[in-house]
Amino acid sequence: MKTWFITGVSRGLGLALAKAATAQGDRVIGTVRQDTRSWPADDGQVRLLRGDLSDPDRIASMAREAFDLAGKIDVVVNNAGYGLLGAVEDSTDEELVSLFAVNVFAPVRIVRAALPYLRAQGSGHIVNITSVAGRAPSIGAALYSATKHAMEGFSASLAEEVAPLGIKVTAVAPGQLRTDFLADGSIRRSRTADPSYKASVGRVTSTLDRVNHNQLGDPDRAARAILAAVQTDKPPRHLLLGSDALRRACDKTEDLTREIELWKSWTLSTDNE
Ligand SMILES: NC(=O)c1ccc[n+]([C@@H]2O[C@H](COP(=O)([O-])OP(=O)(O)OC[C@H]3O[C@@H](n4cnc5c(N)ncnc54)[C@H](OP(=O)(O)O)[C@@H]3O)[C@@H](O)[C@H]2O)c1
């Protein structure tokens, strides 16, 4: 039996993961912002901690409370997050700061608060839910992609740093999942929309509106894949979820390789003799 700490278990992927973990007999300590019908009451198997991830003090205290409650935590999942759509030029400082607070600073703070406990345990698995947008970004979500790139880089470096301490790290990059992610109440949009970006950013965001609640990926299947990754002795450091994620990541890798080759002579020209 494992004990999980998962942020954002009120709905979506976090809820699916918490349900899948409890279904196999594991214990879950999950964070929610407010009371939720998804989990009508705390019980022995599921404990809820209430707090908003944009509050740095609450983040650290939730992580501490989780370890105090459980004694030992096997898997820490940074799942909660949201998307921001719109052209970079139209975004505000407030949108930028709020997005990074929840999608980047919160998970980093959780990891920082959890590490002394995981180190003392000599074991633990940190799972950061990033996005294929953090590897192969598309138009209209530059700031969201920036947060997910940040978490991809953070996870890759952290994995090396904590491996000698017996701690594993996996960055999970889903493609589109059929959750509330694109629905009002989750996704945010930059308040202004300059007509210059109608044919580019506007076209993509309209497509996403049509995809809302009709996404290709199944969060329950995604949860099962994450469970499988956590169960192996040698878990992946990077895990893509969904055929769309696979296609986008492979196309991006090919493009990158092609461009590296094309500019290789200039790349090699800058070393000191
Ligand atoms: N769905 C996709 O297509 C997709 C694709 C790639 C990556 N992802 C990533 O997957 C993760 C889960 O998203 P989802 O698809 O499950 O979306 P979702 O259905 O909108 O659920 C988002 C979860 O994050 C929580 N949350 C958002 N802001 C928060 C805050 N300030 N403080 C605390 N909790 C907060 C929400 O809590 P409330 O219920 O209180 O709002 C909810 O539990 C996110 O990191 C997202 O970036 C999703």
Side-chain angles (χ1 to χ4, degrees), residues 71-188:
K72 177 175 183 253
I73 292 180
D74 303 288
V75 193
V76 173
V77 186
N78 280 307
N79 161 74
Y82 70 90
L84 175 69
L85 298 177
V88 174
E89 193 181 325
D90 290 328
S91 67
T92 64
D93 239 25
E94 192 194 344
E95 288 164 345
L96 174 68
V97 169
S98 304
L99 187 68
F100 269 79
V102 175
N103 287 10
V104 181
F105 302 153
V108 172
R109 285 179 175 127
I110 284 169
V111 167
R112 216 167 41 189
L115 276 175
Y117 297 95
L118 300 180
R119 220 168 11 86
Q121 291 174 190
S123 68
H125 194 155
I126 295 165
V127 176
N128 293 323
I129 307 298
T130 64
S131 166
V132 70
R135 299 188 198 174
S138 63
I139 200 165
L143 299 185
Y144 173 70
S145 302
T147 64
K148 296 302 186 176
H149 269 77
M151 288 311 296
E152 284 280 326
F154 172 74
S155 304
S157 179
L158 179 71
E160 301 281 344
E161 190 174 306
V162 298
L165 308 171
I167 301 165
K168 295 161 182 158
V169 180
T170 301
V172 175
Q176 291 186 346
L177 291 175
R178 201 169 299 174
T179 65
D180 289 341
F181 183 76
L182 291 173
D184 292 340
S186 281
I187 198 81
R188 299 189 201 176

Side-chain angles (χ1 to χ4, degrees), residues 29-68:
I29 300 173
T31 78
V32 291
R33 281 197 278 194
Q34 56 212 2
D35 289 344
T36 164
R37 272 182 296 164
S38 307
W39 305 101
D42 291 359
D43 58 34
Q45 208 182 358
V46 179
R47 297 295 302 262
L48 298 181
L49 301 178
R50 282 159 188 78
D52 195 303
L53 292 180
S54 47
D55 175 353
D57 294 335
R58 185 61 192 129
I59 293 167
S61 68
M62 277 197 291
R64 280 196 302 272
E65 272 174 51
F67 280 93
D68 287 348

